[in-house]
Amino acid sequence: MSNISRCSIRRLANHSCATLPSNMTKGIRGHYINLKILFFAIFALLSSCTAFNSQGLEGVYYLQDSHPLAVQLLLRKDGTFIAEVAVAGVGVKDSAEGVWDVEGNTLILKDPPSAQAASKLVFEARYERTHAELEKILQYNNKGDYDLARKNYVLDLKYARYSQQPDIQPLYVYFQFSEGPIKKQLFSPKSTTDILLPYDSKKTLEKIGFSSASSLEATQWIDILPTSRMVLVSLTKKNKEAISFKITDETDLAEAQSYTNDEEILKFRQNNYEITLYYDNTITPPPIKPVDIFWQFQDGSVQQQIWVDSNQSRLAFPYTGMLTLKKIGMRMREETSDIQWFDITSSGRMLYFSWKEISDYPPEGLATSFHDMQLTIEPECLKLSEDDSHVCFRRK
């Protein structure tokens, strides 16, 4: 960081301290000030940190030039952390403890193990699919999902939290055809990448392979259905594991053509393979306490199921054609509050919902924001971002 930048940040911090209004002081004393708001009110940008790497994150980190805040984060080798926050001249101190984990290039701070089973959840309806839509979308390339929805009402539950994409070096993608040489192309997985390959009925695409840019040949291969023309491939990288790949969707020409009436697009799809690669930034969901799921039908009858495993992403209720689903309800099993109901259209068959946990630990305080906090691991800092600003935790 340049001397000019350092002086600018110091002036900003000192000005914030000198003009701290009495109502803010009162709020701090009452522990009602959100830690993130204080961070970004004081710092527009912090950078240039002591170098470290994600192979050894354990240690003490702090926010330099953060007056009037003194913030320290300790990451222990056993996977636990403690964060301490103090406000100069006010006499307020607060701390938070929990566990930390790494997903990709994201450091995730969580509640302590005793509070890991989420006891409070919030659900949000995303969208739904009718049987006709599922027949059009799924029957060609995902018979399992299509058959499940054909015979059942399906509640699809997606964890609402995602990780930051790690900094992945450029990779090679390989294409093996039924005849001819293997083709290779370099790509950077910083964003979704579309790769187009000319279609030749005499030599069909059979496999897609991957390797690092330094490798001379593919280190992982994935088989492609002989009828596939549009292929969706996800990339994942968990903790210190190597990058892995998997096909998440395959579409044949008939289905691909059914999505549009545009003559140019129809001709384009007839003459090409379309390969889309993207980074899968989903996070492993925390364990949950049992949730009662209520299926309410048009005749007023209600059927009940129990959702107990956060890794179980779908619940199904048999579709007979005799009863039409009207609403879906959710409530934690031990709660006495009202059921949270969601209206369902009369033709809805696959119902997509997102959910996340709400922690009641710790009580309101300056360090509350350290629970459920995500920091991007960069070569020089642990970066907490919000909008166009960020603050940087530096190794002590």
Side-chain angles (χ1 to χ4, degrees):
M1 181 184 292
S2 68
N3 289 333
I4 294 176
S5 298
R6 290 183 185 277
C7 290
S8 297
I9 290 175
R10 287 194 181 100
R11 282 198 299 268
L12 176 61
N14 290 335
H15 174 74
S16 299
C17 178
T19 60
L20 195 65
S22 59
N23 60 340
M24 181 177 288
T25 303
K26 182 179 180 181
I28 293 175
R29 290 185 182 277
H31 286 190
Y32 296 113
I33 296 298
N34 183 285
L35 183 58
K36 287 185 180 179
I37 294 176
L38 283 173
F39 283 164
F40 295 109
I42 295 172
F43 312 111
L45 184 68
L46 288 176
S47 58
S48 180
C49 314
T50 303
F52 66 93
N53 62 70
S54 59
Q55 301 299 315
L57 290 178
E58 303 86 356
V60 179
Y61 300 85
Y62 68 102
L63 287 175
Q64 189 176 12
D65 301 322
S66 60
H67 193 77
L69 289 180
V71 185
Q72 180 172 288
L73 173 64
L74 168 62
L75 301 180
R76 301 189 182 101
K77 290 184 178 181
D78 63 359
T80 62
F81 78 86
I82 181 168
E84 296 180 345
V85 183
V87 183
V90 179
V92 173
K93 293 184 179 180
D94 193 25
S95 64
E97 296 187 51
V99 297
W100 63 275
D101 196 5
V102 176
E103 294 276 359
N105 72 330
T106 303
L107 173 69
I108 304 172
L109 306 181
K110 307 176 184 179
D111 287 349
S114 60
Q116 284 299 290
S119 58
K120 294 182 181 180
L121 304 181
V122 58
F123 294 87
E124 181 179 353
R126 294 161 60 212
Y127 61 96
E128 59 185 65
R129 297 286 192 192
T130 66
H131 181 265
E133 289 173 328
L134 294 169
E135 186 174 28
K136 183 177 181 180
I137 295 171
L138 298 177
Q139 69 170 327
Y140 297 107
N141 66 306
N142 197 329
K143 289 290 291 182
D145 279 5
Y146 173 69
D147 288 340
L148 179 66
R150 182 171 60 85
K151 300 175 183 178
N152 300 275
Y153 286 108
V154 180
L155 176 61
D156 184 282
L157 298 163
K158 182 75 69 176
Y159 187 47
R161 301 193 189 279
Y162 299 90
S163 68
Q164 301 283 345
Q165 178 174 328
D167 183 17
I168 302 175
Q169 297 302 310
L171 304 168
Y172 275 115
V173 57
Y174 301 78
F175 303 99
Q176 179 177 304
F177 295 84
S178 56
E179 293 184 13
I182 294 175
K183 295 185 177 182
K184 180 173 72 171
Q185 182 171 334
L186 187 68
F187 80 101
S188 177
K190 292 184 178 180
S191 61
T192 299
T193 301
D194 294 312
I195 297 176
L196 303 177
L197 300 171
Y199 173 74
D200 185 344
S201 60
K202 296 180 181 179
K203 51 177 184 179
T204 58
L205 182 62
E206 292 185 335
K207 293 183 178 182
I208 298 178
F210 301 90
S211 76
S212 65
S214 60
S215 179
L216 299 177
E217 58 183 21
T219 54
Q220 180 182 348
W221 286 98
I222 301 175
D223 292 326
I224 303 298
L225 294 174
T227 57
S228 293
R229 295 292 288 278
M230 297 174 67
V231 183
L232 191 63
V233 183
S234 68
L235 293 72
T236 58
K237 189 178 189 303
K238 304 296 185 182
N239 297 340
K240 302 178 181 66
E241 298 175 5
I243 299 171
S244 61
F245 310 83
K246 69 177 180 179
I247 294 176
T248 56
D249 198 16
E250 294 184 74
T251 304
D252 64 13
L253 182 61
E255 183 186 359
Q257 300 288 54
S258 70
Y259 295 150
T260 180
N261 293 321
D262 188 297
E263 290 296 331
E264 290 188 6
I265 296 178
L266 291 172
K267 184 177 180 180
F268 173 82
R269 287 181 172 168
Q270 187 173 357
N271 296 325
N272 292 277
Y273 288 101
E274 297 176 62
I275 315 297
T276 300
L277 303 106
Y278 71 98
Y279 179 73
D280 182 2
N281 61 347
T282 55
I283 292 178
T284 303
I288 59 171
K289 293 184 179 180
V291 178
D292 287 324
I293 306 295
F294 302 90
W295 306 80
Q296 184 183 102
F297 296 89
Q298 294 284 4
D299 66 352
S301 62
V302 177
Q303 299 292 333
Q304 184 176 341
Q305 290 181 327
I306 302 176
W307 181 46
V308 296
D309 183 1
S310 61
N311 290 301
Q312 179 188 5
S313 61
R314 287 178 177 173
L315 293 175
F317 188 87
Y319 174 80
T320 63
M322 303 297 293
L323 295 174
T324 301
L325 187 63
K326 182 180 180 180
K327 293 184 178 183
I328 284 283
M330 291 97 164
R331 183 174 64 187
M332 302 300 295
R333 168 141 286 211
E334 70 274 13
E335 287 187 0
T336 58
S337 59
D338 292 339
I339 299 171
Q340 186 179 5
W341 289 104
F342 298 89
D343 292 328
I344 306 299
T345 63
S346 59
S347 55
R349 291 290 287 277
M350 185 168 281
L351 318 169
Y352 296 87
F353 280 71
S354 62
W355 67 274
K356 62 183 178 180
E357 75 279 19
I358 299 177
S359 174
D360 54 5
Y361 181 92
E364 281 295 326
L366 286 174
T368 301
S369 293
F370 278 99
H371 292 267
D372 191 31
M373 179 181 283
Q374 296 188 21
L375 302 127
T376 302
I377 302 169
E378 295 195 345
E380 297 179 339
C381 73
L382 297 177
K383 185 172 71 175
L384 174 64
S385 301
E386 185 167 302
D387 299 326
D388 295 328
S389 301
H390 71 260
V391 293
C392 187
F393 285 82
R394 313 174 185 212
R395 190 186 290 278
K396 192 169 185 178

